[in-house]
Amino acid sequence: MYQSPGAPYQNDYYRRLLAQRQERTEIRKATNRTAWTVFIGILLMVRILPAIGLNYLQVSGVTITGQGDFKGIPPVLYYLLICVDYVLGLAIPALLYFLIQGIPLTQGLPFPKLSVSETAIYVAFGCMVCLLANYPADFVAVQLEKHGFNGDVPDMPLNNDPRVLVLYGLAVIVIPPIVEEMLFRGVVLQSLKRFGDGFAIVVSALFFGLYHGNLIQIVFAFLSGLALGFVVVRTGSLLPSILIHCINNGVSFAVEMVERFYGTATANGVYLILIVTVIALGLISLYILGQRRLLFTGKKSGTLLSPSGRIGAAVTNPGFWLLTAYAAYASVQVMLNG
């Protein structure tokens, strides 16, 4: 049979085209699954579990007026509900995802043994990036206020009851870092790493930002998410990202408590000390990582699609559209209503 001289090259071209199309489909499926997992977590945490909790309290004889800072719920119970909602709302979808996809927990939630020095270096680097991410977020807040919108991040009600403050600390410093890292650097990042480390870092950070549901925190969480994802990819462990997340939230909590009990001037002084300390340690870690050539070097993805092709596939699926629609709607609500 006659075959033109260009036929083998044409066959190679079409095989490559078919492989690229298949990879694009796989990326869409993977990002769609993970986006739906995140959205289900939001739905559970924001709507379903609070409704179940309130109904349980009412059935148990607790009087709920629905008014006031704590929505008419006794403050201690209010924060207990928040803690339970956070744990179950994000952990259940993550664990179900691993179960349905047949992913072992050791693979989806990796915690290999790390040296103390390695952990400290990456934690210091990540904390510095998270601190610096506040400045673009503050810029967005200023622009919103300049144009007549609310530029404040929604806060949580508080009183001086020690039990409430302890539960508030738990709901800020301990629970979110664990379950959010489980979801974003566990479910999302680990599921997308096969399409390239950089791709997985960017998409997991994007999902992390959208999850927060207000424009200021979207900016902060996306930039912080890049650092958290980078640290997880470099170390192969969720432990450093959880520690960074805990420290970042812990700094905010500490400054808030100092301001509450000792005044704004003292809080500003404490914050300045923390800023200098975090940046100094971060710069030292940055130097060490640079010396070890651990900042920009890494294994090639081995994928056929370009970075823009992979990102294009990641944002063209129903799960991503739904997550984006939620973030847009929630952000507008915060901008207009505070």
Side-chain angles (χ1 to χ4, degrees):
M1 174 187 278
Y2 171 76
Q3 188 177 43
S4 69
Y9 300 100
Q10 291 174 358
N11 289 339
D12 288 343
Y13 170 77
Y14 286 118
R15 277 197 293 268
R16 182 178 178 82
L17 197 64
L18 183 62
Q20 287 178 330
R21 184 178 299 174
Q22 184 176 355
E23 184 177 291
R24 190 176 290 109
T25 300
E26 288 301 312
I27 290 174
R28 286 197 180 107
K29 287 180 179 178
T31 51
N32 184 58
R33 286 192 296 264
T34 53
W36 272 101
T37 303
V38 172
F39 182 75
I40 290 170
I42 294 170
L43 197 61
L44 280 171
M45 190 172 66
V46 175
R47 296 294 181 188
I48 297 174
L49 290 174
I52 293 173
L54 288 175
N55 184 65
Y56 174 78
L57 290 179
Q58 290 174 328
V59 170
S60 301
V62 177
T63 301
I64 300 174
T65 64
Q67 298 176 345
D69 289 341
F70 297 91
K71 300 180 181 179
I73 305 171
V76 172
L77 291 178
Y78 176 87
Y79 271 103
L80 280 173
L81 284 178
I82 286 179
C83 290
V84 171
D85 291 347
Y86 234 122
V87 172
L88 297 182
L90 297 188
I92 288 176
L95 294 175
L96 283 176
Y97 176 88
F98 292 134
L99 180 64
I100 293 170
Q101 295 300 315
I103 300 173
L105 289 182
T106 53
Q107 179 183 334
L109 304 174
F111 286 94
K113 187 176 181 180
L114 300 175
S115 68
V116 174
S117 61
E118 182 183 11
T119 302
I121 289 169
Y122 281 105
V123 167
F125 171 76
C127 286
M128 180 182 70
V129 176
C130 289
L131 174 66
L132 295 176
N134 282 290
Y135 293 99
D138 289 342
F139 175 78
V140 171
V142 170
Q143 296 306 309
L144 287 174
E145 291 179 350
K146 188 181 293 186
H147 290 84
F149 297 107
N150 173 53
D152 294 327
V153 175
D155 55 7
M156 300 166 72
L158 273 182
N159 61 28
N160 293 336
D161 185 336
R163 297 170 300 170
V164 171
L165 295 177
V166 168
L167 288 171
Y168 176 61
L170 191 65
V172 171
I173 304 171
V174 179
I175 294 174
I178 294 174
V179 293
E180 288 179 2
E181 292 309 305
M182 177 189 296
L183 185 58
F184 293 99
R185 260 60 65 179
V187 168
V188 181
L189 188 142
Q190 301 302 324
S191 297
L192 301 181
K193 275 181 65 178
R194 62 194 173 105
F195 304 113
D197 289 345
F199 169 77
I201 291 170
V202 171
V203 175
S204 62
L206 179 58
F207 283 13
F208 188 48
L210 294 174
Y211 152 84
H212 280 80
N214 71 79
L215 198 55
I216 299 167
Q217 284 186 295
I218 285 173
V219 173
F220 172 80
F222 172 71
L223 295 174
S224 298
L226 292 175
L228 293 167
F230 168 82
V231 166
V232 170
V233 165
R234 278 288 184 262
T235 62
S237 173
L238 294 184
L239 179 60
S241 68
I242 291 174
L243 293 176
I244 294 166
H245 207 145
C246 286
I247 293 169
N248 177 70
N249 290 12
V251 166
S252 298
F253 176 83
V255 171
E256 183 179 0
M257 290 301 103
V258 171
E259 182 175 14
R260 187 175 189 86
F261 292 105
Y262 299 100
T264 302
T266 304
N268 289 340
V270 169
Y271 187 54
L272 180 60
I273 293 171
L274 290 172
I275 286 177
V276 172
T277 302
V278 170
I279 290 180
L281 293 175
L283 289 174
I284 293 171
S285 69
L286 184 63
Y287 174 78
I288 294 172
L289 292 172
Q291 287 294 103
R292 296 180 181 178
R293 302 180 184 277
L294 294 173
L295 284 174
F296 302 109
T297 57
K299 61 182 180 181
K300 294 184 178 180
S301 64
T303 60
L304 296 172
L305 292 174
S306 64
S308 61
R310 280 173 277 161
I311 293 296
V315 301
T316 50
N317 60 79
F320 178 80
W321 297 334
L322 185 62
L323 192 57
T324 304
Y326 156 76
Y329 173 79
S331 295
V332 170
Q333 293 299 305
V334 172
M335 288 166 56
L336 296 180
N337 304 320

